[in-house]
Amino acid sequence: MNTFLRNGLLMLAAGAFIASCADYNVTDDFTAQPDPAFSEPYKDLAPVKSYIDRNTYPNMSIGATLKIADFNKQELAHAAAVTNFDNVSFGTSLMSGTIINSKGVMNFLDMMDLLTHMDEIGGEVFGSPIFANANQADGWLNMLTAPIEVQVDYVEGKSVDYTTMTTFDGTVDKGSASIVKYDGENALKISTASNVRIIEGFEVDPNAKYTITFWAMADKDASYDITFSGNKITGTGPNGRWTFKAGKWNKVVVEAQSAPDETEGYLRIENSRSAVIYIQKVEVGYYPDNHRQQTAQEKTDTINYAINTWCDGLMKINAGRINAFDLIDEAIDDKAILENGYYDLKHSTTSIYWQDVLGSENYAPAVSRVAKAAYEKYDGDPALLKFFISESGLEDNKKMESLNYWVKIWDANGAKIDGINAKLNLTYSEDPAKQEANKASLDNLLTNLASTGKLIRLSNFDIKYQNASGASVAAKDITDAQRQQLADYYGYVIKSYMNKIPNDKQAGLCKGNLADTNDPVGLWAVDSKSKDWVRTATYKAFCDALSGK
């Protein structure tokens, strides 16, 4: 079952559904090979989503997470997702960091293909985070907030006239140098194989552009290297050296910047063995750094431009088809504590974080206002639009309390926040005490989430398996008995969610991986030879739990 055609999808029609992998690939005269998934004991199970009692649980849904590239291939993962799940989310695939390049060009081709196909099959998408600190278009934001170019004037700097000197007290890093009479005037003599600083003792700005001019002469054709304040400057001669012809005074002009961490200004001649070099005068001038940092107001205006541009582009392509989004992703910093004891939002001195510019208390209000306006501008139905705040680690009571604290502030300031998307990190343990603690932690999380009064969605719904000693059990090693224990815990999580979260506040669960990875997290195992997906006990656990068994 390795070939799938574009239109070979499960369709619900005339009150009947087709559940077999061997059937949902049928298109015209093409029929897929039988799928070993449809063998006892799970042969007669219907698609997972069909087990939800929509009358009792009108808001309940079951979602799948896929990479957009895997979905658009319309192969195994696609077939499993559209057959068994109410909606599909695509992780970072629809975030600005994937879509916007460093020049601000937005590439929505994958998203357009995805949404067009979803229109064809009547599928639903849960929107990727619109705003976050990770997986954002950092290159674009850095370009937008870069220092602004300004006009600057040339500044005349230090100069040295060796024709007026009788002794040389500068720095000789190697070899020898002295003041001698040459061509009728005093000059600085740089011996062969000598490294001599012909001008020094001034401060440099690594962002400034310097022009160093000196007059040099030699009795033979000269070849040498130049270093300006720690930065070797390439010449036009062989092997990047500097050269001039013998017998006349040559005006040498060096355009240079200092090494990034260098503050001491100097120009050093690193003479070869070709000729003794004589120097008369040296002058330094520079154009100061022609950039200035954006003012706080300019940066705010720039970030508001970025927010509006991103939301407008995203919602124009969306055209009202995605109605539920993670608005903000993982904003809480559990290493930064406010004076009131709650966790602060994340902040950065090296990257552009939206909240650093908009202000922590105005973050969600500002971005939700723009995103909502863009959604409605492009035919979105405001009655359907739902924004979630997604966060991980909410099993930690303090982090949960801190999220609640910020959500209340944002609500009070006019943000549209409809729900919480809690990212799970679950493990089943063969150690009875640890497993009871795992269950207690989950129950506590659900109780806390229910108390917010918001819609509640659970995502990253994968459960890893640990033996009694705490070692992970890989998918290739798990026994049938262990797989059943794992499946039972999946069922426990689903039933706990449906019992503890009020029916009208249920926004559903979203599976992290559909098939086993290295861990036995899937509703399907992967056949080692055929690579077919084979239903596991977890598939049945989903069906049973969703049906209330």
Side-chain angles (χ1 to χ4, degrees), residues 265-339:
Y266 66 86
L267 186 139
R268 182 172 63 218
I269 298 290
E270 299 164 7
N271 199 7
S272 69
R273 296 183 181 276
S274 61
V276 174
I277 295 176
Y278 298 89
I279 306 293
Q280 277 193 333
K281 298 178 181 179
V282 187
E283 299 173 349
V284 176
Y286 62 96
Y287 284 98
D289 180 14
N290 64 334
H291 297 84
R292 65 165 178 80
Q293 296 297 320
Q294 294 188 25
T295 66
Q297 185 59 54
E298 286 170 337
K299 185 169 284 189
T300 298
D301 292 344
T302 298
I303 290 299
N304 280 323
Y305 163 81
I307 291 170
N308 280 273
T309 301
W310 162 233
C311 287
D312 191 80
L314 175 68
M315 296 304 181
K316 183 176 182 180
I317 297 299
N318 180 47
R321 290 174 286 188
I322 302 175
N323 298 304
F325 297 83
D326 279 337
L327 176 70
I328 293 174
D329 183 50
E330 300 206 16
I332 305 297
D333 185 351
D334 58 10
K335 295 180 177 61
I337 301 177
L338 300 168
E339 291 182 357

Side-chain angles (χ1 to χ4, degrees), residues 205-239:
D205 178 350
N207 294 313
K209 297 179 180 179
Y210 289 83
T211 301
I212 306 93
T213 305
F214 62 90
W215 285 259
M217 187 173 176
D219 295 330
K220 300 178 182 179
D221 290 351
S223 175
Y224 56 97
D225 291 320
I226 288 178
T227 294
F228 178 72
S229 296
N231 188 18
K232 186 173 181 178
I233 310 303
T234 302
T236 59
N239 300 317

Side-chain angles (χ1 to χ4, degrees), residues 474-493:
K476 64 182 180 63
D477 299 322
I478 196 166
T479 66
D480 289 345
Q482 289 173 322
R483 179 78 78 169
Q484 187 59 58
Q485 289 178 305
L486 181 61
D488 290 343
Y489 190 36
Y490 269 108
Y492 177 86
V493 175

Side-chain angles (χ1 to χ4, degrees), residues 67-78:
K67 294 180 180 178
I68 195 168
D70 291 340
F71 186 84
N72 283 345
K73 288 177 184 177
Q74 297 183 28
E75 297 179 347
L76 276 170
H78 168 279

Side-chain angles (χ1 to χ4, degrees), residues 6-70:
R6 180 174 181 82
N7 295 320
L9 307 170
L10 171 74
M11 302 300 292
L12 298 179
F17 60 80
I18 304 169
S20 171
C21 287
D23 289 332
Y24 66 53
N25 292 286
V26 174
T27 172
D28 299 326
D29 60 350
F30 173 81
T31 304
Q33 295 300 311
D35 187 332
F38 290 89
S39 58
E40 300 294 352
Y42 310 120
K43 175 180 178 180
D44 298 324
L45 293 175
V48 171
K49 63 185 178 184
S50 68
Y51 287 88
I52 301 173
D53 181 345
R54 306 291 178 176
N55 292 322
T56 305
Y57 301 100
N59 293 327
M60 182 62 186
S61 68
I62 190 77
T65 304
L66 292 178
K67 294 180 180 178
I68 195 168
D70 291 340

Side-chain angles (χ1 to χ4, degrees), residues 155-203:
V155 177
E156 293 185 358
K158 187 173 183 177
S159 63
V160 177
D161 186 354
Y162 289 112
T163 65
T164 65
M165 296 183 181
T166 57
T167 60
F168 178 67
D169 58 3
T171 300
V172 178
D173 294 316
K174 175 185 174 184
S176 62
S178 60
I179 301 296
V180 298
K181 183 73 74 174
Y182 181 76
D183 196 35
E185 293 187 280
N186 287 354
L188 172 63
K189 174 186 175 182
I190 302 175
S191 302
T192 58
S194 296
N195 296 347
V196 180
R197 301 187 184 193
I198 64 173
I199 192 166
E200 59 185 324
F202 57 95
E203 293 184 356

